[in-house]
Amino acid sequence: MKVDVLLGLQWGDEGKGKVVDVLTPRYNVVARFQGGPNAGHTLEFEGKKFVLRSIPSGVFQHGQINIIGNGVVLDPILFKEEAEDLEKNGVELKKILKISKKAHLIMPTHRLLDKANEALKGKSKIGTTGKGIGPTYTDKISRNGLRIGDIFNNFDEKYSVAKNRHVTLLKALGADADVSAIEGKWLEGIEYLKEFDIIDSEYVVNRYLKEGKSILCEGAQGSLLDVDFGSYPFVTSSNTVCAGACTGLGVAPRKIGEVFGIFKAYCTRVGSGPFPTELFDETGAQIRKIGHEYGAVTGRERRCGWIDLVALRYTIMLNGVTQLIMMKSDVLDGFDTVKACNSYIVDGKATSDFPFSIDAKIEPVYTEMPGWKTDMTKFKSESEFPKEFKDYIKFLEAQLEVPITIVSVGPDREQTILRK
Ligand code: GDP
Ligand code: IMO
Ligand code: MG
């Protein structure tokens, strides 16, 4: 068996949580491979709404196994809150969730370091989620991190060494180094983690594949936030592209099957950094209002703009996307016309490539198409789509050279149209 991978092709918040939930019945296992509680994955069904941050979005279907892979960074405080909330809502999490021994722990001092790094950057701050993501991955790469498997063996000493190192750094930066307010809660979170099945996830995943079990790997963030290929330095600190599923779960590259690439019918971004198709006018405000474009975790306003096909072609290439999933088409239901950016003029020269330099002056070149002016939120099949919307899909498929196999027309699980 091979694993299928589902990931965001833009700057995150494409609707990954919703689609993972919809696709979960096709799989035996759902596994997160990178990121941490910087993610906010929203699911809506039967009048209920959940936002998942560290826990995979496959926990609400039919008892599938869910795995938090080694590539994830986990905050015990936030994990406990999230897990207890799910348990209160009837999810038997301890039966279905397994956590990798090799996933790294976000410490209270990592949050302080995140804050201190941002403060040092001043005006050029990244606008991180403040969850300690960057400092935790930094410690992983610089070989100073604490892993979940460490909690069973001489943990107090390991924690104290790591914490003291952080306190020295924080003091050198002139930053707040006091974690006494949340340290107790964090240690409670560590004890709570011990109630879960802590596993050698790379062995478990590969054994499942050998046994013929199907696995869906759930990405967090989006490819334009990838630390190598995104709009660096305004990115997150992990590989959000498909290759991240290999390193974040221990799956060999030749075991990757379908790659589902998710995008919104328009584009959004939270935090700082370039966004060529960003709209600063009434249209942008309208998209934000209709699409409820406010961060699922931070509540921050999301910046909104037209769909960017230059960026999408780039991320489709990086991920080897085999199927596209278009989200939030309904948000554009009322527009007279819709626009798609097909190429850029960068520093005066036309190009179809995503530029290296974030300082470059990028002018998007748009194709404008008639809107469909139809409420699609109750549609059940693509035969109901108005001609203008069918033409829009045809245009996107021709430009992106990958079929759009799912169209989402609302936040609910049911508002999902499977094509072909
Ligand atoms: P994720 O991080 O990729 O899982 O996405 P988020 O949950 O952060 O953001 C997506 C938002 O759009 C959530 O509020 C979803 O409930 C909502 N959503 C998902 N699909 C659709 C859709 O097709 N139409 C509309 N109107 N909302 C959607
Ligand atoms: P999901 O999985 C949207 C953004 C932050 C910031 C940058 C770095 O819900 O799509 P970090 O805290 O990771 O160091 O912040 O990345 N960011 C996201 N934006 N969706 C996300 O996750 C994000 N996770 C991080 O806003 O610009
Ligand atoms: Mg989100």
Side-chain angles (χ1 to χ4, degrees):
M1 285 294 281
K2 293 187 172 189
V3 302
D4 292 345
V5 181
L6 182 145
L7 41 77
L9 295 177
Q10 297 162 322
W11 277 287
D13 301 329
E14 295 89 350
K16 297 173 290 292
K18 169 184 164 164
V19 177
V20 169
D21 173 62
V22 167
L23 294 181
T24 292
R26 298 185 191 175
Y27 294 90
N28 301 118
V29 180
V30 177
R32 269 276 300 266
F33 57 89
Q34 47 67 236
N38 48 348
H41 296 174
T42 315
L43 293 81
E44 290 191 34
F45 55 92
E46 296 160 10
K48 287 176 282 188
K49 179 172 168 175
F50 294 93
V51 179
L52 298 174
R53 301 161 81 170
S54 304
I55 293 172
S57 303
V59 290
F60 293 108
Q61 293 279 5
H62 306 104
Q64 278 82 359
I65 296 293
N66 283 252
I67 296 177
I68 294 179
N70 58 278
V72 172
V73 289
L74 202 74
D75 182 329
I77 298 179
L78 299 177
F79 172 77
K80 182 165 181 272
E81 280 173 17
E82 188 178 331
E84 286 180 340
D85 185 48
L86 291 178
E87 286 184 314
K88 253 188 250 148
N89 281 283
V91 178
E92 293 189 286
L93 205 60
K94 286 175 191 139
K95 287 195 186 151
I96 61 169
L97 182 69
K98 298 177 186 294
I99 306 173
S100 173
K101 280 180 193 166
K102 295 192 173 78
H104 278 244
L105 285 167
I106 302 177
M107 296 165 56
T109 36
H110 282 132
R111 291 198 208 173
L112 295 182
L113 283 164
D114 197 354
K115 209 167 147 193
N117 287 339
E118 284 283 85
L120 273 180
K121 280 180 179 274
K123 264 204 209 133
S124 52
K125 70 172 185 181
I126 293 166
T128 71
T129 57
K131 300 287 181 269
I133 305 298
T136 307
Y137 279 115
T138 301
D139 272 357
K140 171 177 174 173
I141 300 300
S142 65
R143 296 153 296 179
N144 289 302
L146 283 182
R147 299 185 292 177
I148 292 187
D150 290 325
I151 66 179
F152 299 104
N153 178 18
N154 204 15
F155 184 65
D156 289 352
E157 193 188 323
K158 288 177 192 161
Y159 173 63
S160 143
V161 169
K163 179 183 149 185
N164 290 340
R165 199 178 145 270
H166 292 165
V167 169
T168 309
L169 287 173
L170 285 161
K171 285 189 174 156
L173 294 173
D176 174 20
D178 181 11
V179 290
S180 53
I182 57 168
E183 196 171 38
K185 242 180 159 184
W186 190 80
L187 292 168
E188 271 173 35
I190 293 288
E191 288 309 306
Y192 181 70
L193 272 173
K194 291 179 183 166
E195 297 173 27
F196 285 82
D197 195 8
I198 309 294
I199 58 165
D200 291 300
S201 57
E202 62 277 33
Y203 277 111
V204 171
V205 164
N206 282 287
R207 262 181 218 132
Y208 283 159
L209 290 178
K210 224 175 186 173
E211 288 164 10
K213 290 201 167 75
S214 53
I215 301 180
L216 178 64
C217 307
E218 173 182 4
Q221 290 77 56
S223 298
L224 297 172
L225 288 170
D226 181 272
V227 67
D228 278 279
F229 300 107
S231 43
Y232 192 90
F234 298 100
V235 293
T236 190
S237 296
S238 63
N239 279 118
T240 60
V241 293
C242 187
C246 297
T247 55
L249 285 169
V251 169
R254 69 187 178 86
K255 297 230 172 97
I256 302 287
E258 292 293 321
V259 181
F260 299 102
I262 302 203
F263 66 100
K264 285 180 191 172
Y266 48 96
C267 195
T268 62
R269 167 160 212 176
V270 211
S272 325
F275 179 0
T277 60
E278 182 168 11
L279 291 166
F280 300 95
D281 58 4
E282 187 49 35
T283 307
Q286 237 179 313
I287 293 177
R288 182 175 309 111
K289 189 160 170 245
I290 303 168
H292 303 291
E293 293 297 355
Y294 298 90
V297 174
T298 56
R300 286 183 293 178
E301 244 184 32
R302 293 179 184 148
R303 299 154 65 193
C304 297
W306 292 118
I307 195 167
D308 183 341
L309 302 180
V310 176
L312 279 179
R313 281 192 287 259
Y314 178 58
T315 54
I316 286 169
M317 172 188 82
L318 294 170
N319 291 300
V321 172
T322 58
Q323 296 187 42
L324 287 167
I325 300 177
M326 178 156 69
M327 309 301 291
K328 303 191 92 160
S329 328
D330 54 296
V331 173
L332 301 182
D333 278 357
F335 285 68
D336 290 330
T337 59
V338 293
K339 287 188 188 179
C341 164
N342 228 334
S343 62
Y344 295 153
I345 297 173
V346 180
D347 294 331
K349 282 197 198 112
T351 178
S352 310
D353 289 351
F354 200 70
F356 166 79
S357 170
I358 56 148
D359 301 324
K361 194 177 165 304
I362 303 173
E363 231 179 282
V365 180
Y366 289 109
T367 303
E368 188 162 5
M369 286 154 284
W372 40 95
K373 306 279 281 176
T374 308
D375 176 0
M376 298 199 296
T377 54
K378 294 198 173 57
F379 284 3
K380 293 284 170 218
S381 111
E382 68 169 316
S383 61
E384 296 172 87
F385 288 156
K387 179 186 177 303
E388 293 79 3
F389 186 65
K390 284 184 182 157
D391 288 346
Y392 182 59
I393 292 183
K394 229 185 263 170
F395 169 79
L396 293 179
E397 288 186 325
Q399 293 296 323
L400 301 173
E401 299 180 342
V402 181
I404 298 174
T405 55
I406 299 177
V407 174
S408 175
V409 291
D412 194 272
R413 194 188 261 173
E414 301 294 324
Q415 292 171 298
T416 313
I417 295 171
L418 307 182
R419 303 179 70 226
K420 289 163 193 158

